[in-house]
Amino acid sequence: MESRLHSRTRDKHDKATKETLQRLHLNLAKSVDKVHNFFDNLMAITKITLHDMFKKTYGAIYEQNAYVFADFFKDLENYYTKGTVDLDDAMDNFFVTLYQKMFAELNRQYILDAKFLECVSEHMKEMRPFEDVPQKLTVQIKRSFVATRAFSQALTVAANVLKNMQSLKPSADCAAALTRMTVCPSCSGIPDNVLACGDMCANVMKGCLAQHAALDAEWNHFVEAVDKVADRLMGPFNIEVLIRPINLKISEAIMNYQENSVDVSNRVFAGCGKPMLGRRRRRNTRELELESLNFDQDTSEDRETGTQQLEKLVKDIRQRVRDSRQFWVYLPYKLCNDGLVVPPSNTKECWNGTHVDKYLYPVSSDGEAQPLNPEVRSTGPRPTIVRDQIFALTTITNRLRLAYNGQDVDWIDTEETWSSSGSGSGDSEDSEGSGDETLPESPEPEQPPKQPLQPVIHENNTPSQVNINIDKGAGTSGTSNNQTATVNSGGAAKQRMSLSRALTTYLVPIVVMWFGGCLNDLL
């Protein structure tokens, strides 16, 4: 009977704990879905806006090369969803490709092979055809996308921590204390309406949930980091303010190049050589010159509405995370207040563990350590599941701090690991250069390989004439001119120098010089 009572009491406590953790888990999981939906809608609207504007402005030239912009947006989306894209490489790749396409179109009278276009791209930093637009846009995109992804990932990690902690079972000492608190009154003939004293329940729950309280310090650091990144997202790192008018920023870069195209071409020819003239073809100047369009129509109102939506979303999520501060040390009191104890006014009419009277023991301190707890004597070492969740919180907190300081974050795709087993495996960020924040030390794993810069045209794919219309067949996939360059890594291993050769090469000259010096002294 005692064994059955222990089992039933333990199951009841386990269920109540899971339900409490599950409520916060679902709350954060819904916040993750809202952020994902907002990002997806933002990117979809931005792509449609850019497509409509560029199609109206450049006509067939844009449509034949629309894949360049599609690939650019795909890189941005892949960074947000997977974190495997190097944003610097993505931005460089986009503007290098755009530069080559425009140079070829503006110099259609020449025969431009792949080698020449590669030389064109090598002189891009020197020429600065788009002026400072690429540099500014790269910095803005990196800061906003890193912060947005870190914010989203943080919510995902926190939700998974709550989910994984639900698998932690009560100990045998906890089950005994729970039984003594909730079942023994009935065995002693005490009416069911007499509940445990509040201080007794607090001690029992603090002992039973001591392992949960081990997460409190890192959880609070996590809450603080989320709060700071939320401020960035509503301020200088606002992805809404950046992405919605990105078509205008790219248009500004194109116009800068068009205004200086003659000078840029002459400087390129001086550095790369003058290409051969081909058959001159007429071109439609309407397709090359930017029309006088009213780009600003409705953008102010749309931008303000979008910004208000983003601020409302981030503010709501930030408040939910703030409310979870000290969640783990308040958890014992939360469970005690859910029908397990009598109201504070009836302190003398409660079960104190032996009879109905006032509870005489003091309430134990909050936290993992419970050495003086009179109800649950032993809490045991930290289980692996607890250590894993602490590591997961530490890792994502480090990333949030880097994102807050506008620094890049090297991501390893740990979402699947955290969500499935809660092992928390992933990379730990370098704490150097992260402002005034002090980052906890954690193991340093292998860094993921960065994607190489993808040139537009290979040297081994040399057409007789290259111009903007070369990609008609690749207009949808964008694979023919966007392959990864092959780098000669010098695979042949260097031969090792033999011992005799080393002696002959290095030691013999030294001996000869020494012997010659001795002869010189004698003479």
Side-chain angles (χ1 to χ4, degrees):
M1 174 62 72
E2 184 178 353
S3 177
R4 289 199 298 269
L5 289 174
H6 279 199
S7 178
R8 188 178 68 177
T9 304
R10 182 163 44 194
D11 291 344
K12 184 177 180 180
H13 167 75
D14 189 40
K15 181 181 178 181
T17 303
K18 284 183 177 180
E19 289 177 351
T20 304
L21 298 181
Q22 183 70 2
R23 283 194 291 269
L24 183 55
H25 161 75
L26 293 176
N27 201 334
L28 294 177
K30 289 179 181 178
S31 298
V32 174
D33 291 338
K34 289 181 180 179
V35 175
H36 288 344
N37 292 335
F38 178 85
F39 179 84
D40 291 341
N41 292 334
L42 174 64
M43 296 301 292
I45 294 173
T46 302
K47 286 188 287 187
I48 292 174
T49 303
L50 183 142
H51 177 78
D52 291 343
M53 183 187 116
F54 276 60
K55 182 179 179 181
K56 181 178 180 181
T57 305
Y58 298 105
I61 291 181
Y62 163 72
E63 292 183 293
Q64 292 163 3
N65 296 276
Y67 77 90
V68 176
F69 300 89
D71 289 347
F72 170 62
F73 282 113
K74 189 66 176 177
D75 282 341
L76 296 181
E77 291 169 341
N78 283 340
Y79 176 82
Y80 175 80
T81 57
K82 300 177 182 179
T84 55
V85 174
D86 188 293
L87 291 175
D88 283 314
D89 286 352
M91 296 301 296
D92 287 344
N93 187 38
F94 170 70
F95 279 106
V96 166
T97 304
L98 184 62
Y99 177 38
Q100 288 185 335
K101 295 298 183 184
M102 290 190 64
F103 186 90
E105 178 59 34
L106 293 169
N107 295 276
R108 297 176 70 177
Q109 68 274 27
Y110 296 105
I111 300 175
L112 307 178
D113 59 15
K115 185 175 181 180
F116 185 87
L117 287 179
E118 191 65 31
C119 180
V120 170
S121 62
E122 291 174 356
H123 288 76
M124 180 175 174
K125 290 185 178 180
E126 177 186 349
M127 300 296 144
R128 299 181 74 244
F130 304 117
E131 297 184 2
D132 60 350
V133 173
Q135 290 77 14
K136 289 183 177 179
L137 193 58
T138 298
V139 171
Q140 294 170 342
I141 281 183
K142 283 184 63 177
R143 295 190 311 182
S144 63
F145 271 78
V146 169
T148 303
R149 174 171 169 79
F151 188 74
S152 171
Q153 287 289 293
L155 299 174
T156 301
V157 170
N160 289 331
V161 165
L162 290 160
K163 179 181 178 180
N164 295 330
M165 286 298 291
Q166 295 177 35
S167 63
L168 192 61
K169 300 297 182 182
S171 65
D173 288 343
C174 169
L178 288 169
T179 304
R180 184 169 60 254
M181 180 178 70
T182 59
V183 178
C184 286
S186 299
C187 297
S188 302
I190 297 174
D192 293 340
N193 61 344
V194 178
L195 302 177
C197 298
D199 289 351
M200 178 186 182
C201 183
N203 282 335
V204 171
M205 288 302 173
K206 285 185 178 185
C208 289
L209 300 173
Q211 303 294 355
H212 295 71
L215 274 65
D216 186 67
E218 281 305 322
W219 184 272
N220 293 337
H221 293 156
F222 159 81
V223 171
E224 180 183 359
V226 169
D227 191 76
K228 290 184 176 181
V229 172
D231 284 337
R232 292 290 202 216
L233 289 176
M234 293 184 294
F237 298 173
N238 191 317
I239 193 172
E240 170 79 13
V241 175
L242 170 68
I243 290 298
R244 285 182 70 89
I246 198 170
N247 57 332
L248 305 182
K249 296 181 180 182
I250 297 175
S251 294
E252 179 185 353
I254 293 175
M255 286 188 289
N256 290 340
Y257 183 17
Q258 288 179 328
E259 292 175 358
N260 304 296
S261 60
V262 176
D263 179 60
V264 171
S265 296
N266 291 335
R267 292 167 64 189
V268 169
F269 293 152
C272 300
K274 195 72 173 285
M276 294 178 57
L277 285 171
R279 188 176 66 177
R280 187 176 183 86
R281 292 182 295 172
R282 295 182 60 187
R283 63 188 182 191
N284 189 344
T285 56
R286 179 184 178 276
E287 293 181 340
L288 290 177
E289 298 299 331
L290 198 64
E291 289 186 349
S292 178
L293 299 177
N294 184 14
F295 291 146
D296 294 326
Q297 56 185 358
D298 297 333
T299 56
S300 299
E301 180 180 353
D302 293 344
R303 194 178 309 170
E304 182 179 356
T305 302
T307 303
Q308 291 175 352
Q309 292 175 354
L310 177 63
E311 289 183 0
K312 183 178 184 300
L313 174 63
V314 174
K315 282 182 179 179
D316 179 64
I317 294 175
R318 181 178 65 175
Q319 188 58 51
R320 293 183 184 184
V321 175
R322 280 178 174 177
D323 292 341
S324 70
R325 192 188 304 272
Q326 294 187 307
F327 170 81
W328 301 100
V329 295
Y330 288 157
L331 185 59
Y333 299 99
K334 171 67 176 174
L335 293 179
C336 285
N337 291 332
D338 288 344
L340 292 178
V341 298
V342 297
S345 58
N346 298 329
T347 55
K348 292 184 179 181
E349 298 178 5
C350 58
W351 172 256
N352 64 7
T354 57
H355 58 284
V356 177
D357 201 354
K358 184 178 180 180
Y359 186 73
L360 300 179
Y361 295 104
V363 177
S364 181
S365 59
D366 294 331
E368 180 182 10
Q370 296 287 316
L372 302 179
N373 193 315
E375 304 297 335
V376 183
R377 299 291 183 180
S378 175
T379 58
R382 285 183 181 178
T384 302
I385 187 68
V386 175
R387 295 198 300 268
D388 290 343
Q389 306 320 304
I390 292 175
F391 179 82
L393 289 171
T394 301
T395 302
I396 195 61
T397 300
N398 292 348
R399 290 171 170 172
L400 286 167
R401 289 169 177 170
L402 291 173
Y404 170 77
N405 290 316
Q407 295 176 274
D408 199 3
V409 175
D410 289 330
W411 293 96
I412 291 180
D413 195 7
T414 50
E415 294 179 63
E416 182 178 350
T417 304
W418 282 335
S419 62
S420 60
S421 64
S423 64
S425 61
D427 61 335
S428 175
E429 308 304 339
D430 187 354
S431 62
E432 293 183 2
S434 57
D436 297 330
E437 303 288 359
T438 301
L439 306 182
E441 296 182 358
S442 52
E444 182 177 356
E446 296 180 0
Q447 297 296 329
K450 295 185 178 180
Q451 292 187 349
L453 178 63
Q454 298 179 348
V456 177
I457 299 176
H458 282 298
E459 293 185 9
N460 59 358
N461 183 20
T462 307
S464 58
Q465 183 173 354
V466 180
N467 54 53
I468 198 91
N469 294 319
I470 190 173
D471 300 304
K472 286 186 177 180
T476 57
S477 65
T479 57
S480 64
N481 289 342
N482 210 19
Q483 302 296 324
T484 305
T486 302
V487 179
N488 182 8
S489 60
K494 296 182 178 179
Q495 297 181 352
R496 294 186 176 180
M497 182 178 293
S498 64
L499 178 60
S500 60
R501 184 181 176 187
L503 292 174
T504 303
T505 304
Y506 298 107
L507 186 57
V508 171
I510 296 175
V511 173
V512 171
M513 291 177 63
W514 174 79
F515 187 75
C518 292
L519 290 177
N520 186 47
D521 293 338
L522 292 174
L523 295 175

